[in-house]
C-alpha cells in the first residue's frame, strides 16, 4: 500500500522489465543473527513498508511462543535518521510500522520518540526488563541501505537458533494483518510508551560508574573534536562529556546534524580512516584540539585520532584503541579494588579476529581472558553468562572499532567509549603522556602486537565459494596449504567445517557456521592470519597479527615481517587478479 514502491513495481511491469523484477522479487531478504540489512526499495529483497510488516509479524509470533508474559513486559523499538525518498522508506516510518504490529496484538511497545544511538536499545531491554528490542539502522552502510537489528531479553543480540525460528515465523506470517499499514493507530494507544526521557537520564547515570577522575576532567586543558558523521551521536556525546564533567568537544558543524544523504563523505564509516576525518582534522587545527573522536552514524562504534609531535595525525586502529582501553579499564579497576582475591572473578573478552593484546595483559595481571566468534552478539551473550555467574566483565572489544566499556550495555557502545577515551587522555596529559606514548608503554610492558587488516570487494558469491574451496583442496582433495610463499603454515582452524589441527580430536572448540566462510592460519614465525566473509557486505576480509614477547623492541623488523606475510597472503591465497577482486583502496 505504499504508493511509491507500488508505482515502482507497476512501472517495471508496464515496461516488461523481467530482469529488474527478478532482482526485486527473486528472493526474500535473509533474516540472520544480525537481523536484516539491505537497500531500501520495492520488492521482497529490499527494506520497505511491506517487508518490515512481514518481519515484525513473524518476530511477534515467535516472541509470543517464547514468552508467556510478553503482553505484560513488551518490547523496545529505536531508530536512526536514515531515509530514502525514492521509495518513501525511513527508519522512523519502519519503527512506527513495527510498533503498530505489536500494539495490534496487545503487546506494550516502548518506542523512542526521536533518534537514538543503537546501544540505547539493548540498554532499555535490560533496564526495563523487556522481552526484546528492535533497532532500525544500517549503521555505517551506504545511504540507500537500512537494517533491522534484534536483541533478546538478556540485552544481547540474538544468536542461533533464534534467527532460524524468527525466519520461519516470518515465512508463515506474510499476509499483512488487518490495519497493519495504518501506523496512526498507535498514537492514541495506551500500549505505546516513550522511554526517551527516562533512558536518557538513567543511561548517563549508569555510565558515570566508569568515571574515575572527575577532578582531572574538570581541570583539563585538553581539547577534543567530535564528529557524528551525519548520524545520531552529536547530542549524546555532548551529554556524556557533561556527565563526566568534561568540557564539551568541538563538534564538526557540517556533520553534527543527522542527514540521510551523508553529503560530506563517500562512505559514512570511520573505519575507513582519514577520508572520513578530513573535516575533523581541519576543525582540530583551527581550534587547537589534539584528539578527534568519531562515531559511526548509529554511534555504536568509535574511531580516535591524535595529533603527533611531528604535526601528523595518527588514526588508531581498533586493535590499538582496544589495547589502550583494556589497559585503562583494568588500571582503574585495580586502583579501586584493593582486594587481591577479586581478580579471579575478572574477565575481558575479544573476538577471534581481534588482537590478542588482552590475553597478554591478562596473563601478566592475573585476570581471565576469553575469545569468542566474530561479532558482538557472541561477546554480549558470553558477557551475560559470566555476569550471571557473579563474574565482572570489565571490557570487550573487536577490531572493527567496537568497544563495550560499561556492563550496562551488552553490545558495542560508541558513546561511553568516546567519553572514557576522553577521560583516559585527560589523565595521561597530567603525566605528560599522549595516547600514542601510552600505547607504546603498553606494548613495552606486555609485548608488541602488530596487526594489519584489510579486505577485497567481491560481488560474486560463486567466486568467494571457489576461493575458499581452493584453500581447502590446495594440494589435492581435503588438503590445506602447507606454506604461503616463504612462510610455513604450522596450524589451521576452519570454523566453516569445524576442523582445527591444534586440537587432539581435530575439532574446533569455538562454534562453527556452515553459512559463513572463516579460516585461520597460524605460521611458524608466530604470525596468525584469518580470512573470512562479511555477514553484511560483499567483502572478503583478512586480519593478521604478529605477537612478540615483552622485551622484543625491534618494532620496525616486526612490521616488515608482517607486511611480507600479508603480501604473500594476498598473492597466494586471495589471488586478486585471477579472481577479479577489487582492493580496498580502489
Amino acid at each position: 500500500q505504499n504508493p511509491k514502491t507500488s508505482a515502482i513495481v507497476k512501472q517495471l511491469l508496464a515496461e516488461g522489465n523481467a530482469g529488474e523484477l527478478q532482482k526485486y522479487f527473486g528472493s526474500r531478504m535473509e533474516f540472520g543473527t544480525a537481523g536484516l540489512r539491505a537497500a531500501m526499495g520495492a520488492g521482497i529483497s529490499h527494506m520497505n513498508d511491506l517487508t518490515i510488516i512481514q518481519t515484525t509479524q513473524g518476530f511477534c509470533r515467535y516472541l509470543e511462543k517464547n514468552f508467556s508474559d510478553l503482553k505484560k513486559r513488551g518490547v523496545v523499538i529505536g531508530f536512526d535518521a536514515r531515509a530514502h525518498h525514492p521509495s518513501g522508506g525511513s527508519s522512523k516510518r519502519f519503527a512506527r510500522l513495527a510498533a503498530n504490529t505489536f500494539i495490534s496484538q496487545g503487546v506494550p511497545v516502548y518506542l523512542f520518540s526521536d533518534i537514538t544511538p543503537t546501544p540505547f536499545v539493548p540498554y532499555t531491554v535490560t533496564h526495563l526488563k523487556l522481552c526484546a528490542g528492535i533497532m532500525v539502522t544500517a549503521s555505517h552502510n551506504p545511504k540507500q541501505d537500512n537494517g533491522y537489528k534484534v536483541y533478546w531479553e538478556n540485552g544481547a543480540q540474538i544468536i542461533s537458533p533464534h534467527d532460524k525460528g524468527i525466519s520461519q515465523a516470518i515465512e508463515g506470517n506474510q499476509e499483512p494483518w488487518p490495519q497493519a499499514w495504518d501506523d496512526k493507530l498507535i498514537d492514541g494507544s495506551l500500549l505505546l510508551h516513550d522511554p526517551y526521557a527516562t533512558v536518557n537520564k538513567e543511561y548517563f547515570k549508569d555510565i558515570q560508574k566508569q568515571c574515575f577522575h572527575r577532578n582531572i576532567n574538570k581541570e583539563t586543558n585538553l581539547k577534543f573534536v567530535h564528529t557524528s558523521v551525519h548520524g545520531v551521536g552529536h547530542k549524546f556525546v555532548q551529554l556524556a562529556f557533561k556527565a563526566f564533567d568534561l568540557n564539551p568537544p568541538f563538534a564538526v558543524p557540517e556533520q553534527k546534524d543527522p542527514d540521510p544523504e551523508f553529503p560530506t563523505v563517500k562512505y559514512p564509516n570511520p573505519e575507513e580512516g582519514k577520508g572520513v576525518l578530513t573535516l575533523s582534522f581541519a576543525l582540530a587545527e583551527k581550534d587547537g584540539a589534539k584528539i578527534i573522536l568519531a562515531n559511526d552514524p548509529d554511534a555504536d562504534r568509535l574511531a580516535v585520532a591524535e595529533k603527533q609531535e611531528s604535526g601528523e595525525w595518527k588514526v588508531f586502529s581498533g586493535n590499538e584503541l582496544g589495547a589502550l582501553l583494556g589497559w585503562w579499564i583494568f588500571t582503574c579497576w585495580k586502583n579501586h579494588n584493593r582486594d587481591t582475591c577479586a581478580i579471579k572473578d575478572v574477565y575481558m573478552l575479544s573476538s577471534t579476529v581481534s588482537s590478542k593484546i588482552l590475553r597478554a595483559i591478562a596473563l601478566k595481571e592475573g585476570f581471565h581472558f576469553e575469545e569468542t566468534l566474530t561479532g558482538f552478539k557472541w561477546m554480549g551473550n558470553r558477557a551475560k553468562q559470566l555476569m550471571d555467574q557473579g563474574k565482572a566483565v570489565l571490557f570487550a572489544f573487536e577490531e572493527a572499532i567496537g568497544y563495550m566499556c560499561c556492563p550496562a550495555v551488552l553490545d558495542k557502545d560508541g558513546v561511553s567509549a568516546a567519553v572514557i577515551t576522553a577521560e583516559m587522555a585527560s589523565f595521561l596529559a597530567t603525566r605528560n603522556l599522549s595516547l600514542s606514548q601510552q600505547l607504546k608503554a603498553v606494548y613495552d610492558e606486555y609485548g608488541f602486537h602488530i596487526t594489519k587488516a584489510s579486505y577485497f570487494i567481491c560481488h560474486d558469491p560463486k567466486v568467494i565459494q571457489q576461493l575458499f574451496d581452493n584453500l581447502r583442496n590446495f594440494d589435492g582433495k581435503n588438503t590445506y596449504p602447507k606454506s604461503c610463499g616463504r612462510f610455513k603454515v604450522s596450524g589451521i582452524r576452519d570454523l566453516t567445517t569445524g576442523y582445527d589441527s591444534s586440537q587432539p580430536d581435530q575439532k574446533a572448540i569455538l562454534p562453527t557456521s556452515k553459512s559463513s566462510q572463516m579460516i585461520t592460519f597460524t605460521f611458524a614465525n608466530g604470525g596468525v592470519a584469518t580470512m573470512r566473509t562479511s555477514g553484511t557486505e560483499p567483502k572478503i576480509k583478512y586480519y593478521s597479527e604478529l605477537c612478540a614477547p615483552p622485551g622484543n623492541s625491534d618494532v620496525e623488523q616486526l612490521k616488515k615481517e608482517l607486511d611480507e606475510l600479508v603480501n604473500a597472503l594476498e598473492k597466494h591465497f586471495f589471488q586478486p587478479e585471477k579472481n577479479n577482486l577489487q582492493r580496498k583502496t580502489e
Side-chain angles (χ1 to χ4, degrees):
Q1 290 181 26
N2 178 319
K4 286 188 174 179
T5 45
S6 184
I8 292 167
V9 176
K10 284 175 182 160
Q11 178 70 29
L12 291 172
L13 278 168
E15 292 165 3
N17 191 336
E20 281 300 294
L21 286 166
Q22 179 63 33
K23 261 191 229 166
Y24 288 11
F25 293 95
S27 63
R28 174 171 290 281
M29 285 179 293
E30 205 176 312
F31 190 97
T33 50
L36 298 172
R37 188 79 69 89
M40 290 178 268
I44 57 170
S45 63
H46 290 130
M47 299 282 291
N48 54 54
D49 291 5
L50 174 64
T51 51
I52 289 292
I53 288 168
Q54 292 172 325
T55 300
T56 311
Q57 289 180 171
F59 189 33
C60 181
R61 288 287 177 258
Y62 185 75
L63 289 173
E64 284 169 347
K65 212 168 79 182
N66 279 273
F67 297 102
S68 56
D69 54 356
L70 176 66
K71 289 182 179 170
K72 200 169 87 196
R73 291 162 68 192
V75 300
V76 55
I77 303 176
F79 55 91
D80 69 9
R82 285 177 178 258
H84 184 248
H85 298 299
S87 68
S90 74
S91 297
K92 185 172 186 174
R93 170 146 182 82
F94 294 161
R96 285 178 61 83
L97 286 167
N100 188 38
T101 301
F102 279 106
I103 284 172
S104 75
Q105 304 303 298
V107 177
V109 173
Y110 294 80
L111 172 68
F112 281 98
S113 54
D114 203 351
I115 54 171
T116 57
T118 292
F120 277 32
V121 168
Y123 176 82
T124 307
V125 172
T126 309
H127 193 71
L128 298 180
K129 300 183 173 56
L130 306 180
C131 293
I134 298 165
M135 178 69 191
V136 184
T137 178
S139 189
H140 54 270
N141 271 39
K143 66 180 182 181
Q144 67 273 15
D145 289 359
N146 216 324
Y148 186 104
K149 197 173 182 181
V150 173
Y151 295 87
W152 203 242
E153 67 163 342
N154 63 357
Q157 287 177 59
I158 56 161
I159 49 175
S160 210
H162 294 313
D163 55 331
K164 291 178 189 66
I166 296 165
S167 197
Q168 283 162 1
I170 295 167
E171 292 290 333
N173 289 280
Q174 289 184 11
E175 187 175 330
W177 298 335
Q179 302 174 314
W181 298 90
D182 190 3
D183 65 309
K184 289 189 188 67
L185 291 172
I186 65 174
D187 292 325
S189 171
L190 295 174
L191 293 171
L192 183 73
H193 310 279
D194 177 11
Y196 193 87
T198 312
V199 168
N200 263 297
K201 196 170 89 213
E202 297 298 324
Y203 170 87
F204 292 107
K205 215 157 72 186
D206 268 343
I207 66 168
Q208 285 179 58
K209 292 170 189 159
Q210 315 304 313
C211 177
F212 296 103
H213 297 280
R214 205 171 278 282
N215 291 339
I216 290 174
N217 296 348
K218 283 176 185 168
E219 303 294 322
T220 187
N221 296 319
L222 208 55
K223 292 177 181 173
F224 300 90
V225 158
H226 175 250
T227 176
S228 44
V229 194
H230 303 295
V232 304
H234 169 70
K235 176 184 171 181
F236 303 97
V237 169
Q238 296 280 326
L239 288 169
F241 268 61
K242 197 174 163 187
F244 273 53
D245 277 327
L246 283 154
N247 281 327
F250 298 108
V252 176
E254 302 92 331
Q255 296 177 333
K256 79 179 177 68
D257 297 323
D259 186 337
E261 293 300 314
F262 304 111
T264 65
V265 290
K266 191 178 174 190
Y267 298 109
N269 183 1
E271 251 190 295
E272 299 289 339
K274 291 190 173 175
V276 181
L277 300 177
T278 312
L279 292 169
S280 302
F281 294 141
L283 181 64
E285 298 288 357
K286 180 171 134 311
D287 289 332
K290 281 262 178 70
I291 291 172
I292 290 166
L293 304 164
N295 287 125
D296 66 344
D298 67 329
D300 64 350
R301 295 171 193 238
L302 174 74
V304 177
E306 180 183 57
K307 194 171 187 183
Q308 305 299 290
E309 294 286 311
S310 64
E312 286 285 298
W313 284 93
K314 173 181 169 61
V315 181
F316 293 94
S317 71
N319 285 323
E320 289 172 332
L321 194 56
L324 280 166
L325 284 168
W327 161 80
W328 173 248
I329 287 166
F330 178 71
T331 303
C332 292
W333 179 87
K334 197 163 67 173
N335 291 340
H336 283 77
N337 286 271
R338 296 291 173 213
D339 176 7
T340 47
C341 295
I343 199 158
K344 70 180 191 319
D345 287 329
V346 168
Y347 281 74
M348 286 196 185
L349 313 174
S350 70
S351 68
T352 182
V353 296
S354 303
S355 169
K356 296 294 169 281
I357 184 65
L358 295 185
R359 183 177 65 192
I361 300 174
L363 279 169
K364 193 163 180 184
E365 300 291 349
F367 62 89
H368 297 273
F369 165 75
E370 281 190 18
E371 69 169 11
T372 70
L373 285 179
T374 314
F376 260 88
K377 60 188 177 201
W378 299 104
M379 284 184 273
N381 277 284
R382 181 61 184 143
K384 182 71 171 94
Q385 281 178 343
L386 289 164
M387 284 155 66
D388 287 348
Q389 294 163 21
K391 312 295 184 194
V393 180
L394 298 186
F395 179 59
F397 91 97
E398 64 179 2
E399 52 66 50
I401 62 172
Y403 312 95
M404 182 181 111
C405 303
C406 173
V409 176
L410 295 177
D411 197 9
K412 52 186 180 286
D413 179 356
V415 178
S416 59
V419 74
I420 289 167
T421 301
E423 179 172 271
M424 167 171 63
S426 303
F427 172 85
L428 289 169
T430 65
R431 307 285 196 274
N432 288 323
L433 286 168
S434 65
L435 292 174
S436 308
Q437 287 165 328
Q438 181 56 39
L439 179 65
K440 186 177 180 311
V442 170
Y443 287 149
D444 281 336
E445 186 165 352
Y446 302 107
F448 273 88
H449 287 60
I450 313 287
T451 60
K452 199 170 182 182
S454 191
Y455 60 79
F456 288 95
I457 293 171
C458 181
H459 291 280
D460 186 346
K462 287 194 193 74
V463 170
I464 296 175
Q465 184 65 51
Q466 187 61 51
L467 188 151
F468 281 92
D469 284 348
N470 287 345
L471 291 170
R472 294 187 182 104
N473 302 280
F474 204 75
D475 295 314
K477 198 165 163 47
N478 294 332
T479 61
Y480 292 88
K482 293 183 177 61
S483 64
C484 180
R486 73 174 178 85
F487 298 96
K488 190 172 176 299
V489 174
S490 60
I492 283 150
R493 184 186 65 190
D494 186 337
L495 289 182
T496 307
T497 64
Y499 170 75
D500 187 341
S501 65
S502 70
Q503 294 303 318
D505 60 358
Q506 306 210 319
K507 286 193 172 73
I509 295 168
L510 286 174
T512 59
S513 166
K514 289 185 174 57
S515 62
S516 58
Q517 301 283 357
M518 182 163 170
I519 305 178
T520 300
F521 299 94
T522 306
F523 295 93
N525 69 344
V528 178
T530 295
M531 295 168 62
R532 65 178 276 264
T533 46
S534 164
T536 52
E537 297 164 299
K539 291 175 178 176
I540 316 173
K541 300 182 171 186
Y542 68 78
Y543 312 80
S544 62
E545 179 166 40
L546 260 182
C547 308
N552 182 348
S553 56
D554 193 350
V555 186
E556 290 316 309
Q557 180 51 40
L558 285 171
K559 281 183 179 164
K560 188 167 165 281
E561 179 91 350
L562 188 62
D563 284 344
E564 286 177 18
L565 176 61
V566 164
N567 290 340
L569 190 74
E570 290 190 354
K571 183 180 168 185
H572 299 288
F573 290 1
F574 279 94
Q575 301 178 304
E577 285 74 28
K578 180 188 154 192
N579 290 314
N580 200 18
L581 306 177
Q582 197 183 333
R583 284 176 189 279
K584 175 181 175 176
T585 47
E586 294 160 18

